[in-house]
Amino acid sequence: MIGKDLLQLRGMPRETITEILDTAEQMREVGRRKVKKVPPLRGRLVVTLFFENSTRTKTSFELAAKRLSADTLSFNVNTSSTTKGETLMDTARTIYAMQPDAVVVRHACAGAPHLLARNFPWRVLNAGDGIHEHPSQGLLDMLTIRDKFGSLEGRTVAIVGDVQHSRVARSNIWGLTTMGARVIVAGPGTMCRAELSGLPVEMRHTIDEVVRDADVIMLLRIQHERLGRGVLPSAREYATFYGLDLARLRMAGPDVMVMHPGPINRGVEIGADVADSAQSVILDQVTNGIAVRMALLYLLLGSDSPGAGALHAAD
Ligand code: CP
């Protein structure tokens, strides 16, 4: 059972992750139909409340809600009264007065979605909070890995780069290890520090050490918006020591899968030829994001809706 909200993958039981991924597989089938719409959330209102920019997460949550026949309301922080000094809680009270059923929240402060979940009876889906977690990204990544390998159990996933400041890395680390995968990490000392040893990961010093052992290589964007000064000498130096180019990719097994949550920086953490290679599943991750977010909205909101269970085409 998924519970009231989706806030983090840390502590989420294996059975719940499996239920979400299995439901996402059914939802993906809806996306392959000519009429990509089913009725389970007809009449429900889903609000996307993004205090940080997004291309993938916001659009795919909105598309997921629409495919389940929910109404959507998109809150644009740059044109909102947040710019006039309205607080997060007052903004939330205002949105809540419009009677939404679920709110999808992205915020620079870790814990902001938890605050909104504690203080309002709506369903909250964390779309990324500071450096804490990005649970729907972790789930879509796990679905993409499961698609190729059948199971996550026993797979070795290498996460390379700015692990320290990455909510994507944290959600993946908790989710993947719950599902029986092994996670190895590597990155510059300022982005992959000893504190990470509190997480269930094995730390390596160089990208070459993790590439050789990996079934999956997950590259991370440098989180410039969360970095202090002096953390990174230059993008060129980063690419030299930690970027995945074709020469490094050849050190991995022929079936290795290359992932990136996006947005990618070609020539920094990933070479353009690697991003466009046959091993890259970056755009499959995007497609799976819609299915996973449909599954999450369906499991959180669908069971008490009039159209619950109906995955036939909406009229
Ligand atoms: N992966 C991810 O969160 O991308 P966006 O910032 O574009 O949503």
Side-chain angles (χ1 to χ4, degrees), residues 249 256-260 270 273-285:
L249 185 61
V256 75
M257 200 164 99
V258 176
M259 306 182 78
H260 193 307
I270 186 167
D273 39 11
V274 174
D276 301 330
S277 69
Q279 281 104 324
S280 166
V281 294
I282 294 171
L283 296 179
D284 298 318
Q285 291 172 261

Side-chain angles (χ1 to χ4, degrees), residues 50 53-58 106 127 134 137 167-168 261-263:
F50 276 57
N53 293 339
S54 166
T55 297
R56 284 144 283 267
T57 313
K58 187 167 184 286
R106 172 172 287 189
H134 190 348
Q137 180 72 44
R167 54 198 179 202
V168 173

Side-chain angles (χ1 to χ4, degrees), residues 106-227:
R106 172 172 287 189
H107 202 284
C109 296
H114 302 65
L115 183 73
L116 300 191
R118 269 200 308 277
N119 284 282
F120 299 90
W122 55 20
R123 309 293 184 130
V124 175
L125 297 99
N126 180 1
D129 62 325
I131 64 165
H132 175 234
E133 282 217 33
H134 190 348
S136 63
Q137 180 72 44
L139 289 161
L140 76 86
D141 290 339
M142 284 191 278
L143 179 64
T144 309
I145 298 170
R146 202 177 77 161
D147 284 345
K148 179 174 170 78
F149 295 108
S151 165
L152 296 159
E153 184 80 49
R155 292 293 161 191
T156 297
V157 180
I159 304 182
V160 180
D162 187 6
V163 183
Q164 200 81 29
H165 304 96
S166 172
R167 54 198 179 202
V168 173
R170 272 182 186 68
S171 284
N172 267 292
I173 289 165
W174 292 118
L176 286 165
T177 52
T178 298
M179 300 305 286
R182 168 183 175 226
V183 180
I184 51 180
V185 299
T190 49
M191 299 176 178
C192 206
R193 291 196 294 263
E195 297 97 279
L196 289 177
S197 58
L199 295 170
V201 294
E202 296 168 36
M203 288 181 63
R204 303 282 164 80
H205 295 294
T206 66
I207 182 170
D208 297 354
E209 288 172 89
V210 298
V211 163
R212 273 193 284 267
D213 284 353
D215 296 304
V216 177
I217 306 168
M218 187 180 294
L219 302 160
L220 300 173
R221 182 178 67 87
I222 300 164
Q223 311 281 301
H224 288 290
E225 65 275 29
R226 290 179 238 291
L227 291 184

